[in-house]
Amino acid sequence: QVQLVESGGGLVQAGGSLRLACAAFGSIFSIVDMAWYREAPGKQRELVAAITSAGSTNYEASVKGRFTISRDNAKNTVYLQMNSLKPEDTAVYSCSVYVRDTYGRLNRYWGQGTQVTVSS
């Protein structure tokens, strides 16, 4: 089994910055894709940013140029640096990680979610 532990959410004023982290623990042979999603009240969950094992990234259009996703493979951790935050970025942010275990099986895991609130 694998557990994801998220940290870094909170309350920030518009224009401020936050850094989210998501660390994976457990039976891990390798980590494939890692991503951050968010879900705002009354809206569907959306992909914010993703990063492959090779380091390729993609971003949701509204966060391009403001958010940066990165990963530390030695620590099995994915980060989301969020700059120039806007009130519309307010949501619960969750990480998603595809893990290959020692038996070669590929499974997807989700973090518990962390609240990000941006005040105007």
Side-chain angles (χ1 to χ4, degrees):
Q1 272 292 354
V2 173
Q3 287 187 324
L4 303 183
V5 178
E6 298 177 8
S7 60
L11 173 64
V12 65
Q13 287 188 331
S17 298
L18 284 174
R19 189 192 194 207
L20 306 182
C22 171
F25 300 93
S27 180
I28 299 171
F29 178 74
S30 65
I31 295 180
V32 187
D33 295 347
M34 310 178 88
W36 288 96
Y37 287 76
R38 67 185 179 187
E39 186 170 1
K43 295 186 178 181
Q44 287 190 334
R45 183 169 61 191
E46 64 176 356
L47 175 66
V48 177
I51 184 167
T52 68
S53 57
S56 296
T57 59
N58 68 281
Y59 296 91
E60 194 272 328
S62 70
V63 308
K64 282 183 179 178
R66 299 188 298 122
F67 291 10
T68 302
I69 189 170
S70 61
R71 60 192 287 169
D72 184 333
N73 292 327
K75 296 181 179 180
N76 291 332
T77 299
V78 60
Y79 304 96
L80 185 68
Q81 177 67 44
M82 304 184 293
N83 299 328
S84 302
L85 282 161
K86 304 175 180 180
E88 51 264 42
D89 294 317
T90 295
V92 175
Y93 287 69
S94 301
C95 60
S96 167
V97 175
Y98 282 92
V99 176
R100 192 173 301 282
D101 65 18
T102 54
Y103 296 98
R105 298 172 300 196
L106 188 65
N107 293 294
R108 186 181 195 179
Y109 297 92
W110 289 90
Q112 78 279 11
T114 185
Q115 178 69 46
V116 171
T117 302
V118 184
S119 62
S120 57

